[in-house]
Amino acid sequence: MKKEHTAIDALRTEIEAAERRVAREIEPGPRALVVAILVFVLLGSFILPHTGDVRGWDVLFSSHGAGAAAVALPSRVFAWLALVFGVGFSMLALTTRRWALAWVALAGSAIAVAAGLLAVWSRQTVATGHPGPGFGLFVAWITVILLTFHWARVVWSRTVVQLAAEEQRRRVAAQQQSMNLLDSLDNATGPDSPDRPED
């Protein structure tokens, strides 16, 4: 009987570990393809001009006339945030399917959206004689907005199975706590216990 009980406990522990592992993962479904396409579009936007003849890669590394075009800090910050979170963490989250990485991709992309707004604004209010925002900057900013939207949908949509498994795990834990309390009371007032009330 004890062997059977031990085997059932081991199986239950293994199932709970599998449920926890599944709960830490995301299942983007068809959105994975959309996110992958957006990542490649974002990478391609660094080849396009972000302002005048200055391309996105030039904004990142301050080369090829970025200083002459008066590329400001918001443009550089946006380019780095888009590269690190929009491309880097998005690819990591897609390949590993880890929920934590998807959250980081979402948070970083959301910050990149605000930085992109500042980058576009800084190029529109640049001093006379310097070029305004380029096509590549708008493509990158819109792509980061779309990435943020899709990561938000992926992160906040948990499957019905995951939610049901969590609810079942909570129910079992609550039952075990109440059973442990009742068992300890039964043991304290067992048939040989001096505290047991007389019939």
Side-chain angles (χ1 to χ4, degrees), residues 8 27 31 53 83 87 112 125 136 141 148 162 178:
I8 290 172
E27 186 53 53
R31 284 189 195 280
D53 292 333
L83 182 66
V87 175
T125 58
W141 185 41
T148 304
Q162 288 172 326
S178 66

Side-chain angles (χ1 to χ4, degrees), residues 1 16 28-29 34 43 45-46 55 58 77 90 105 117 124 133 141 152-153 171-172 178 186 190:
M1 187 70 175
E16 286 174 358
V34 175
L43 269 175
S45 73
F46 286 105
R55 301 183 184 281
D58 299 329
V77 168
S90 291
L117 177 65
Q124 287 175 338
W141 185 41
R153 296 294 300 262
R171 211 176 297 128
V172 167
S178 66
D186 283 344

Side-chain angles (χ1 to χ4, degrees), residues 25-180:
E25 293 180 355
I26 57 169
E27 186 53 53
R31 284 189 195 280
L33 179 62
V34 175
V35 169
I37 290 170
L38 289 173
V39 166
F40 283 114
V41 169
L42 186 58
L43 269 175
S45 73
F46 286 105
I47 299 169
L48 300 172
H50 276 220
T51 179
D53 292 333
V54 180
R55 301 183 184 281
W57 294 115
D58 299 329
V59 171
L60 273 171
F61 302 109
S62 299
S63 59
H64 287 97
V71 173
L73 184 63
S75 294
R76 288 191 187 102
V77 168
F78 168 68
W80 278 107
L81 287 173
L83 182 66
V84 170
F85 294 105
V87 175
F89 276 98
S90 291
M91 288 173 62
L92 278 173
L94 279 180
T95 54
T96 62
R97 302 210 183 257
R98 291 286 177 204
W99 201 20
L101 289 174
W103 267 106
V104 172
L106 169 63
S109 297
I111 294 169
V113 168
L117 177 65
L118 286 174
V120 169
W121 176 77
S122 71
R123 291 316 306 168
Q124 287 175 338
T125 58
V126 75
T128 307
H130 295 294
F135 179 67
L137 182 59
F138 284 111
V139 169
W141 185 41
I142 291 168
T143 305
V144 170
I145 291 171
L146 292 173
L147 270 174
T148 304
F149 169 75
H150 284 289
W151 276 127
R153 296 294 300 262
V154 167
V155 163
W156 281 318
S157 68
R158 305 201 59 190
T159 64
V160 176
V161 175
Q162 288 172 326
L163 293 173
E166 283 181 10
E167 181 60 33
Q168 179 65 22
R169 209 168 39 246
R170 280 192 213 105
R171 211 176 297 128
V172 167
Q175 284 176 349
Q176 285 178 346
Q177 282 180 341
S178 66
M179 291 300 283
N180 290 341

